[in-house]
Amino acid sequence: MGWQQQIQAALQTRRAADAWRQRPVIEQNDGRWLQVAGERYLHFSGNDYLGLSQHPALIRAWQQGAAQSGAGAGASGHVSGHSRYHAELEQQLADWLGYSRALLFISGFAANQALIHLLAGKGDRILADKLSHASLLDAASHVPATLRRFTHNQPASLAARLATPCAGNTLVVTEGIFSMDGDSAPLAALAQQTRAADGWLLVDDAHGIGVIGEQGRGSCWQQQVKPELLVVTFGKAFGVSGAAVLCDEETADYLVQFARHLIYSTAMPPAQACALQAALREIQQADAQRQKLQQLIQRFRQGAAALPWSLLPSASAIQPLLVGDNGRALALAQRLRTAGFWLTAIRPPTVPPGTARLRITLTARHEEQDIDRLLEALSDAASE
Ligand SMILES: *Cc1c(COP(=O)(O)O)cnc(C)c1O
């Protein structure tokens, strides 16, 4: 089959499966409200859990950073793109999270790819939670190491995988809070088993960092686990974009020497590193917002218990309503959109077949009345 026929066939399959993906053009977004095609919607689908993307201190820091150091980094960090703002931010992140080193990446996707491509060689193995993010599983399936997935959040399943002998190194991979289910990994049990097998643990805490744990230090801090490799991303609670890998001194040196995603890619703009420093300061002081978010989560879960769709066991800001069928999930999202709510139906292949869902996310920008209005609209949709 030529490219053209292949493309046409793939698109047709997508459409027929109610799995067509689109990118709506957002006219305005203040964290609580979205405007699309002239209409305003209550926004329940972002990852900006503390509303920091709209915070004046971050915007000011970005502006001042740009005024001092320009719009872009101008080169890879290995050439001339690593500014004092980058260096300061790395040190602040390492101190905050209790690691020797932090290395900045332009995205969480790049950070995960870099780690896995660099570490997982021939004869090694990667044991990853089945629901790990695409950036982890994609990389893991493209490296010479073997990839085995273990049952979601089941340390016993990991133990069974670890029991198989392996001559090479073992990298165990999980998320802190899972992006599509919102539940937390049992990090202490995973870490203990990994250590007993002389492996390394990689925790991607994209959805935990900033949102939980003392000072917002995330899932690992909350569960008192220090993985060999911690990935934190800045596109969610930090309200900006970018990521960092936290690790020991030698691993950081190794990444700087050999990680192609770092070496052959332009550093994030210095102004962005400046904005991220401001985000970190806000996050460290955001106990009140984190508390408010927890109250909103409780309120939503209590109300949603009465709905006909099952609520996944999530204590996080990610509250998926399991619908099952793609078409029905789409129809429900559409029904809510008509009622003034912006939420997305998440469908396979992002989630396993038969588990299409509304991925509802809450933020500290919401008010109690927003939650109540959403619950009412869901209840109306259920009784139709
Ligand atoms: C969003 C996300 C990423 C990707 O991070 P970006 O900085 O957006 O590229 C990686 N891992 C998880 C679990 C995520 O949710």
Side-chain angles (χ1 to χ4, degrees):
M1 222 195 300
W3 288 116
Q4 201 164 19
Q5 285 155 301
Q6 195 175 318
I7 288 167
Q8 283 168 358
L11 292 180
Q12 206 170 6
T13 311
R14 259 290 148 89
R15 273 211 181 82
D18 283 331
W20 192 253
R21 296 162 187 253
Q22 304 192 55
R23 300 174 308 157
V25 176
I26 306 300
E27 290 155 358
Q28 268 180 38
N29 176 5
D30 74 358
R32 183 180 175 203
W33 294 93
L34 274 188
Q35 185 181 311
V36 184
E39 301 283 341
R40 258 160 60 92
Y41 300 89
L42 264 175
H43 181 21
F44 284 100
S45 66
N47 302 315
D48 184 10
Y49 301 120
L50 301 175
L52 285 185
S53 74
Q54 309 298 320
H55 198 291
L58 271 70
I59 297 168
R60 212 176 317 118
W62 194 309
Q63 288 166 334
Q64 286 170 354
Q68 288 191 8
S69 49
S76 150
H78 287 64
V79 179
S80 56
H82 189 64
S83 72
R84 83 177 163 86
Y85 294 122
H86 295 87
E88 287 165 3
L89 175 60
E90 287 186 343
Q91 189 60 53
Q92 290 163 7
L93 289 166
D95 292 346
W96 180 50
L97 295 170
Y99 280 81
S100 308
R101 295 277 293 277
L103 291 179
L104 295 176
F105 283 79
I106 53 163
S107 71
F109 203 101
N112 286 337
Q113 298 273 321
L115 284 175
I116 288 177
H117 277 277
L118 192 55
L119 291 175
K122 200 164 157 52
D124 297 335
R125 65 178 168 182
I126 299 169
L127 305 178
D129 186 288
K130 265 204 162 108
L131 299 189
S132 298
H133 193 259
S135 55
L136 296 161
L137 292 179
D138 275 18
S141 63
H142 290 141
V143 293
T146 46
L147 166 64
R148 295 268 180 281
R149 304 193 301 167
F150 60 90
T151 311
H152 175 54
N153 278 352
Q154 296 292 328
S157 172
L158 172 62
R161 298 279 186 227
L162 284 169
T164 313
C166 170
N169 295 308
T170 297
L171 181 65
V172 173
V173 171
T174 184
E175 294 183 27
I177 290 179
F178 282 82
S179 56
M180 293 299 141
D181 289 55
D183 51 354
S184 293
L187 294 175
L190 299 178
Q192 192 216 335
Q193 288 180 0
T194 305
R195 195 152 309 136
D198 277 333
W200 276 18
L201 178 63
L202 185 172
V203 176
D204 174 348
D205 203 21
H207 297 274
I209 197 71
V211 193
I212 58 171
E214 190 198 339
Q215 274 189 40
R217 289 187 180 99
S219 305
C220 295
W221 193 275
Q222 192 183 48
Q223 297 190 43
Q224 299 185 3
V225 166
K226 188 176 172 189
E228 284 76 13
L229 301 165
L230 170 62
V231 174
V232 298
T233 71
F234 306 135
K236 280 119 188 178
F238 270 72
V240 187
S241 79
V245 171
L246 286 296
C247 58
D248 69 14
E249 198 71 44
E250 278 181 350
T251 309
D253 285 345
Y254 187 57
L255 281 159
V256 171
Q257 298 314 307
F258 300 110
R260 303 171 70 82
H261 297 74
L262 263 189
I263 300 168
Y264 299 106
S265 188
T266 303
M268 71 168 64
Q272 182 180 338
C274 200
L276 286 169
Q277 290 187 25
L280 178 56
R281 284 193 293 275
E282 293 305 322
I283 278 177
Q284 288 170 330
Q285 301 165 18
D287 282 339
Q289 286 90 322
R290 281 185 284 271
Q291 211 165 31
K292 179 183 173 197
L293 179 58
Q294 287 308 320
Q295 284 161 0
L296 295 173
I297 293 167
Q298 290 312 317
R299 193 177 185 89
F300 176 77
R301 287 189 69 82
Q302 275 162 19
L307 296 169
W309 304 286
S310 48
L311 205 52
L312 296 183
S314 158
S316 73
I318 303 163
Q319 291 292 327
L321 270 190
L322 200 58
V323 179
D325 175 68
N326 283 3
R328 289 169 69 162
L330 269 185
L332 182 57
Q334 193 49 50
R335 170 77 180 66
L336 283 155
R337 186 141 315 165
T338 315
F341 300 89
W342 196 271
L343 0 108
T344 34
I346 307 281
R347 291 154 288 163
T350 304
V351 293
T355 70
R357 63 197 66 182
L358 285 193
R359 179 175 180 270
I360 296 167
T361 52
L362 308 182
T363 99
R365 297 277 284 196
H366 288 134
E367 297 299 337
E368 287 185 351
Q369 72 208 53
D370 302 340
I371 308 297
D372 295 347
R373 283 184 53 194
L374 174 62
L375 287 166
E376 217 174 281
L378 283 164
S379 167
D380 288 350
S383 61
E384 264 176 15

